[in-house]
DNA sequence: CTGTGTCAAGTCCGT
DNA sequence: ACGGACTTGACACAG
């Protein structure tokens, strides 16, 4: 079992998703930004290894305008060595990674243009995993898409589009149950038609279900993952933010609920992505609970779990290191 | 330096 | 009709 968090590390003073405005596009800018993003990604992965966090969602924004026609910079060849080195590091430390293309990726849109842009984005994100040399247990996680007033037609369009996808995308694509439109049952229908594994989101399942108890839902989703080709079930874990809109993610993991979830899990092996605001802070706490229960190896000798400020103080903006000057007369 | 309006892209829902 | 939410804020200009 591996624990992870998405995209951003709040303890480090770098971001792997720096970008710039379309209006200020230049090849030079792409080159500089990708170099900085990959350096930061490597730094985050090293932090994760040092803290026993072996699951990570890589930011979709590593390459600015990665699927936009304006971007003709050959980043795939320019950064081939860097991508390969990151992939080697991931494999050497037995880590698992995923990407979550954003809401603009809608494979079942009635608009052919939107579908084509969506495919281009999947090709871009999948190609990063290919350049890293990772196998097909590294996944691209999307939602089923829009409903457009007709569930059967919406699922049917997804299936039809899926058949046209490049093989490299097909083998990495997984579909997540969402909290309003497409339930676990809908995803199971899609799986039956396409073979696409279901990335299970426990919180979305709580928001939208057909009465399946959590342990049963977990097993239904897990059965859609081919053990060697896909790896163990990937899932998103979160819970309701108390007193807020239904579906709002909690800001920090609630340990009693997480322990209860682990009981639902029983002996099922899964990799858990924590979808909470405070990122690695919660991941450390979740990992501590798993160590307690001997579900992950004990921490190395001398390891001291990071401590974090109380939640109230987390709201304050984090002081950031000033940017390095581009040039300086002081050398 | 800090504050803040805006940014490639889609869809649904609450107001 | 429009703003907010969604896996993740960050950029860039005004003051």
């Amino acid at each position: 079992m591996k624990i992870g968090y998405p995209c951003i590390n709040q303890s480090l003073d770098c971001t792997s998703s720096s970008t710039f405005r379309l209006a200020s596009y230049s090849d030079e800018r792409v080159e500089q930004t990708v170099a900085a993003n990959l350096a930061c990604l490597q730094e985050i992965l090293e932090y994760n290894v040092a803290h026993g966090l072996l699951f990570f969602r890589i930011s979709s924004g590593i390459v600015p305008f990665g699927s936009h026609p304006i971007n003709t910079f050959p980043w795939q060849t320019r950064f081939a060595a860097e991508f390969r080195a990151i992939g080697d590091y991931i494999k050497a430390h037995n880590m698992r990674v995923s990407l979550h293309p954003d809401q603009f990726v809608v494979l079942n849109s009635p608009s052919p243009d939107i579908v084509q842009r969506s495919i281009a984005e999947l090709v871009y994100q999948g190609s990063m995993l290919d350049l890293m040399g990772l196998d097909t247990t590294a996944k691209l996680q999307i939602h089923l898409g829009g409903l457009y007033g007709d569930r059967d037609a919406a699922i049917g369009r997804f299936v039809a589009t899926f058949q046209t996808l490049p093989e490299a995308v097909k083998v990495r694509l997984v579909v997540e149950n969402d909290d309003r439109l497409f339930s676990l049952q809908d995803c199971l229908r899609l799986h039956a038609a396409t073979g696409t594994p279901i990335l299970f989101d426990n919180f979305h399942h709580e928001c939208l279900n057909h009465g399946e108890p959590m342990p049963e839902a977990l097993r239904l989703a897990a059965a859609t993952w081919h053990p060697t080709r896909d790896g163990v079930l990937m899932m998103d874990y979160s819970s309701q933010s108390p007193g807020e809109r239904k579906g709002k993610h909690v800001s920090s993991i609630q340990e009693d609920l997480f322990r209860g979830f682990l009981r639902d899990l029983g002996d099922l092996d899964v990799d858990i992505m924590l979808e909470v605001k405070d990122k690695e802070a919660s991941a450390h706490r979740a990992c501590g609970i798993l160590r307690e229960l001997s579900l992950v190896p004990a921490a190395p000798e001398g390891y001291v779990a990071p401590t974090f400020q109380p939640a109230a103080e987390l709201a304050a903006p984090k002081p950031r290191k000033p940017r390095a000057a581009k040039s300086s007369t002081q050398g």
Side-chain angles (χ1 to χ4, degrees):
Chain A
M1 187 180 302
K2 295 170 183 169
I3 295 287
Y5 60 97
C7 305
I8 289 170
N9 180 300
Q10 298 179 326
S11 308
L12 299 172
D13 273 313
C14 74
T15 170
S16 60
S17 56
S18 60
T19 182
F20 48 85
R21 294 290 177 260
L22 182 60
S24 48
Y25 179 91
S26 72
D27 283 356
E28 293 70 28
R29 197 82 190 264
V30 174
E31 186 170 15
Q32 289 169 11
T33 306
V34 174
N37 286 342
L38 289 177
C40 181
L41 175 58
Q42 176 69 34
E43 202 180 324
I44 293 173
L45 294 173
E46 288 171 10
Y47 172 99
N48 291 348
V49 167
H51 293 90
L53 302 173
L54 297 183
F55 189 22
F56 187 65
R57 182 183 296 160
I58 296 173
S59 165
S60 308
I62 297 286
V63 181
F65 308 103
S67 69
H68 192 288
I70 197 175
N71 187 348
T72 55
F73 181 78
W75 54 268
Q76 296 91 337
T77 49
R78 165 62 183 81
F79 292 103
E82 286 85 348
F83 277 108
R84 171 62 66 160
I86 286 173
D88 287 347
Y89 186 83
I90 289 168
K91 286 184 281 190
H93 294 279
N94 192 30
M95 304 180 82
R96 194 162 189 208
V97 298
S98 63
L99 284 150
H100 194 335
D102 61 27
Q103 64 272 31
F104 306 111
V105 171
V106 186
L107 287 184
N108 74 349
S109 172
S111 155
D113 288 348
I114 290 168
V115 173
Q116 281 316 304
R117 283 196 291 274
S118 297
I119 294 172
E121 180 70 14
L122 289 170
V123 167
Y124 147 58
Q125 297 199 26
S127 69
M128 290 197 283
L129 298 173
D130 292 338
L131 285 166
M132 290 177 191
L134 300 177
D135 64 24
T136 56
T137 63
K139 295 300 189 184
L140 299 171
Q141 161 186 0
I142 64 171
H143 291 282
L144 212 156
L147 197 54
Y148 313 97
D150 185 336
R151 184 171 306 271
D152 291 346
I155 294 175
R157 270 197 312 279
F158 190 108
V159 174
T161 300
F162 181 85
Q163 307 304 343
T164 75
L165 293 174
E167 194 62 23
V169 171
K170 273 187 187 173
V171 295
R172 294 196 188 281
L173 199 65
V174 299
V175 174
E176 172 188 355
N177 59 307
D178 70 68
D179 61 344
R180 293 177 302 129
L181 305 177
F182 294 104
S183 66
L184 174 63
Q185 290 300 333
D186 295 315
C187 294
L188 284 166
R189 283 180 57 193
L190 189 74
H191 169 73
T194 62
T196 305
I198 301 172
L199 190 144
F200 183 70
D201 186 310
N202 77 303
F203 182 36
H204 291 167
H205 184 70
E206 287 170 10
C207 296
L208 178 67
N209 61 69
H210 298 87
E212 310 90 341
M214 191 61 69
E216 182 192 334
L218 280 162
R219 276 153 186 78
L220 287 168
T224 65
W225 292 67
H226 186 280
T228 52
R229 186 189 60 210
D230 300 317
V232 303
L233 173 67
M234 266 187 195
M235 59 164 296
D236 289 349
Y237 176 86
S238 192
S239 58
Q240 175 66 42
S241 183
E244 297 216 55
R245 171 188 65 80
K246 181 188 172 189
K248 170 83 173 168
H249 290 182
V250 75
S251 60
S252 185
I253 191 172
Q254 295 162 292
E255 297 197 7
D256 51 341
L257 294 180
F258 186 63
R259 288 175 191 276
F261 177 78
L262 291 177
R263 283 192 290 276
D264 287 341
L265 209 48
D267 59 0
L268 196 64
D269 189 18
V270 302
D271 291 335
I272 301 179
M273 181 65 57
L274 298 177
E275 294 202 323
V276 294
K277 262 286 187 241
D278 69 355
K279 305 288 178 186
E280 74 276 12
S282 281
H284 292 313
R285 290 166 54 208
C287 233
I289 291 170
L290 295 189
R291 288 196 187 98
E292 229 179 76
L293 301 172
S294 301
L295 290 170
V296 296
E301 195 66 32
Y303 173 82
V304 179
T307 54
F308 289 87
Q309 298 178 343
E313 296 175 39
L314 277 175
K318 178 183 68 167
R320 290 188 62 93
K321 255 191 283 192
R323 257 166 210 267
K326 281 182 186 148
S327 65
S328 165
T329 52
Q330 303 187 359

